[in-house]
Amino acid sequence: WTLRHGERADFCRHAAQWRASARCPADPPLTVAGHRQAQLTAEVICAHALAPTRVISSPFLRCLQTAREVCARLQLPCSV
């Protein structure tokens, strides 16, 4: 399975504000909605009895945050 990260701070309605104050604009975090999207994705995986045994994430912050939300729900470690 392949999973894309949730909504990121530089692609939301407050993106200009975020970019103006970002310490690392090339590596945006998830928004609150992005975290919720990751949680909902994990719930769907569980509801459909899909059983991944391993999660591998890109080192980008938004990807790690998404993977951590999913891994927390699935009780799996996350590899980078």
Side-chain angles (χ1 to χ4, degrees):
W1 301 96
T2 300
L3 174 64
R4 186 162 166 81
H5 58 77
E7 180 185 71
R8 52 194 247 191
D10 62 338
F11 275 89
C12 68
R13 63 184 172 137
H14 301 294
Q17 273 180 276
W18 179 82
R19 279 190 204 98
S21 63
R23 297 183 81 202
C24 187
D27 192 14
L30 293 179
T31 62
V32 171
H35 279 280
R36 186 65 186 133
Q37 290 167 342
Q39 293 164 355
L40 289 171
T41 299
E43 290 175 21
V44 168
I45 291 169
C46 288
H48 285 68
L50 302 173
T53 57
R54 187 170 186 197
V55 174
I56 303 170
S57 175
S58 158
F60 286 111
L61 179 59
R62 63 192 173 268
C63 300
L64 286 170
Q65 290 174 320
T66 300
R68 287 179 183 145
E69 294 283 358
V70 171
C71 287
R73 178 69 172 87
L74 301 177
Q75 299 179 339
L76 289 172
C78 178
S79 300
V80 178

